[in-house]
Amino acid sequence: MLTTARLALADEDVDAAETAVAQAILLADSLTTEPASLAAATLNRLQTRLSLAADGFATDLEMVAQDLQAASSELNLLIVGPTPETELVEATSTPSETSEGDLVTPSPTETPSSTPTPTTSP
């Protein structure tokens, strides 16, 4: 359904895209996962993106396309399961501020440093 929605949107068939998103929401709502698991978090993100896409048809088709892309990525993660790299990032990623105030999230290839930072006393 996500592929159908994305293709219909690319073909500027908004009605077909909306119908496919509505069907995808129903299908996603019928999925179950183990509570408090990575799969449950992934399913929640999938459902959120589908909901955002459904709500965006009236206002911003470009954002709908982005939400559908993100939903497709979440669905793929849900189907395939997380890789060990993804699990590490999910478990350790917390945004940090840069000097410009922009938020930076570690990429999947980054791993936390196990080397302690030396401190000096005055």
Side-chain angles (χ1 to χ4, degrees):
M1 288 293 99
L2 284 173
T3 301
T4 300
R6 292 176 69 197
L7 290 173
L9 195 58
D11 289 340
E12 298 180 8
D13 188 348
V14 177
D15 290 335
E18 281 186 283
T19 300
V21 168
Q23 291 172 341
I25 289 171
L26 292 174
L27 291 171
D29 288 347
S30 71
L31 297 175
T32 58
T33 60
E34 190 171 318
S37 65
L38 286 175
T42 303
L43 179 57
N44 186 43
R45 289 190 307 266
L46 169 65
Q47 291 169 321
T48 298
R49 287 301 189 155
L50 288 172
S51 178
L52 290 170
D55 293 343
F57 278 104
T59 58
D60 191 350
L61 293 180
E62 186 176 315
M63 187 58 72
V64 170
Q66 291 175 12
D67 286 328
L68 291 176
Q69 170 62 38
S72 293
S73 296
E74 296 298 342
L75 180 60
N76 188 49
L77 183 59
L78 192 62
I79 292 169
V80 178
T83 63
E85 247 181 30
T86 304
E87 289 177 3
L88 178 62
V89 170
E90 286 284 331
T92 62
S93 68
T94 54
S96 61
E97 281 196 42
T98 64
S99 59
E100 292 86 3
D102 297 327
L103 289 179
V104 176
T105 304
S107 70
T109 57
E110 292 180 20
T111 56
S113 173
S114 61
T115 308
T117 305
T119 57
T120 59
S121 54

